Every structure is written in C-alpha cells, then in structure tokens.
Amino acid sequence: MINKFKSGFTLIEIIISVSIISVIMATVLFNYSSFSDKLALSSAAQEIAVTIRQAQIFGLSVRGSTAIQGQFTSGYGVFFDMNSDTSNYYLFIDRIDVPFGNGFVANKKYDVVSGCGSASTECIEQGNIRNGVVISNLCDGTSCPPVANVKQMHITFLRPNPDATIYFTDVSGNILSGPANTGKVVLTSLKGNTINVIIEKTGQVLVQ
C-alpha cells in the first residue's frame, strides 16, 4: 500500500526551531557586542598609556623641539581636557621660549593654543579616542575630581628625573591642585564600562 503522506516538519516544530535559533543568535550578538565594547575601551586605554610613555621617553632623552630648532631642555607631557574635548588628548612640549621671544614659559603644563606641530603651539600630536569611548573623569589618588572645578590634567616629564609632575587645572589653565602623587584618567565606553589609566609620581603607568 502506498503511503500518501510525506514526512516533514510540523508547524510547531518549525516554530520551536526558529525560536531556538533566535535565542542562540541573540546570545551570540550580545556577547560580541559586549566583547567589542570592552575591546574598544582597552585599546583606548593602552593607546593613552603608550603616549604617556612616549612623553616620558622624550623628556628623558635629548629630543629637540621640531618647532624650535636646538631646544633640548624642554619637558614633554600629555594633556587631558574634560571641558569640551573628551575624545582627544595631546602630546606636548613644555617650551622654553625666553630666548626666542614667543611668549612660552616652561611651567610644567600645557599652554593651550589651537593647532599642532607649528611654532605657535606646544602641541606635538593630537591623540584621538575612538569607538564612542570618552574621558569621563580626571582624578588624583583619592578623589574624582581632586577638587571642585577641575577640568584638565597636565602630566610632564623633564630630564634627568623620570618622575611625573601632575597638575590639575580649571578651564582657564589655572592650577587648582598639584603637584599630585597620582593622576588617573577614567574612560567610559558606550555601554557604560570603565577603565582607568593611572600615572604615579614615580613615572609608573598602569591600566586597570
């Protein structure tokens, strides 16, 4: 006798299968999104740590200023600004322009002037924080922020001392706290995860 019914899936079986696949896909996408978010956060922190190390190396070496030929006595540092620039940071030279008459005085902080790499600014290079990660706080060893109205942090290195000089300033560059024993940059991702780049007075740089 010929069986008139063909084997196949019932509607209920199809619905159950689709539901299982949907749950698996949602789990995979969620885990990937979380992994991607944490990876972006870690990458941003590592890039900042490398830039701070670069400033330390420049400060300890005899690297001259490209803006002012023959200047080998300047410190180098990294500047962070939470006021209006939470997606960037700046590698800078703490210029000594007294013999040149350009108005810069070595003060162990970044004298903010727009532009990078020219003779009219202390900025050497601008670092960009990508993928939605931003600077969410600037802290010392105990408080975030160290005192009220802190919007900027300046970290400088000057040979022959490998130690870091850390100052906290307001939006106008007025020193409110420092030199501090510890500086901390708090980064926050799109999903609200955080990571810290910690700079000790001794020159040690940590990512936690």
Side-chain angles (χ1 to χ4, degrees):
M1 181 176 180
I2 300 175
N3 187 356
K4 296 181 180 180
F5 298 97
K6 296 181 179 180
S7 61
F9 296 103
T10 65
L11 179 59
I12 294 177
E13 289 174 331
I14 293 174
I15 292 174
I16 292 173
S17 299
V18 170
S19 299
I20 293 173
I21 293 172
S22 297
V23 170
I24 293 173
M25 289 299 296
T27 302
V28 170
L29 290 174
F30 176 79
N31 289 336
Y32 175 77
S33 177
S34 297
F35 171 76
S36 179
D37 185 77
K38 292 178 181 178
L39 181 62
L41 196 59
S42 177
S43 296
Q46 293 295 339
E47 287 178 6
I48 289 174
V50 168
T51 302
I52 295 171
R53 284 295 188 197
Q54 186 178 12
Q56 187 178 40
I57 292 170
F58 287 171
L60 291 174
S61 68
V62 291
R63 186 181 192 274
S65 168
T66 56
I68 300 179
Q69 299 300 320
Q71 187 175 123
F72 296 98
T73 56
S74 296
Y76 286 81
V78 182
F79 169 72
F80 302 90
D81 184 3
M82 274 192 57
N83 181 49
S84 59
D85 203 9
T86 57
S87 296
N88 298 298
Y89 52 95
Y90 300 87
L91 175 65
F92 70 92
I93 176 173
D94 190 22
R95 288 170 52 171
I96 305 172
D97 281 13
V98 175
F100 302 92
N102 291 331
F104 288 97
V105 178
N107 51 12
K108 296 187 177 180
K109 63 188 187 76
Y110 178 48
D111 298 313
V112 182
V113 181
S114 60
C116 279
S118 70
S120 61
T121 178
E122 288 190 333
C123 180
I124 298 173
E125 182 178 290
Q126 175 180 304
N128 305 115
I129 306 174
R130 299 175 294 275
N131 299 315
V133 178
V134 296
I135 299 170
S136 57
N137 221 330
L138 299 172
C139 319
D140 61 10
T142 57
S143 303
C144 294
V147 295
N149 299 321
V150 164
K151 294 295 182 181
Q152 302 170 343
M153 182 168 69
H154 312 248
I155 304 164
T156 56
F157 301 92
L158 178 63
R159 64 191 299 260
N161 194 339
D163 291 357
T165 301
I166 305 167
Y167 282 114
F168 297 92
T169 60
D170 61 15
V171 293
S172 300
N174 300 308
I175 296 175
L176 300 179
S177 179
N181 291 326
T182 303
K184 180 167 67 175
V185 181
V186 182
L187 300 176
T188 301
S189 69
L190 286 172
K191 288 185 173 293
N193 293 311
T194 61
I195 195 169
N196 302 322
V197 182
I198 301 171
I199 308 93
E200 301 290 352
K201 179 183 178 181
T202 58
Q204 184 179 16
V205 183
L206 305 171
V207 175
Q208 295 180 343

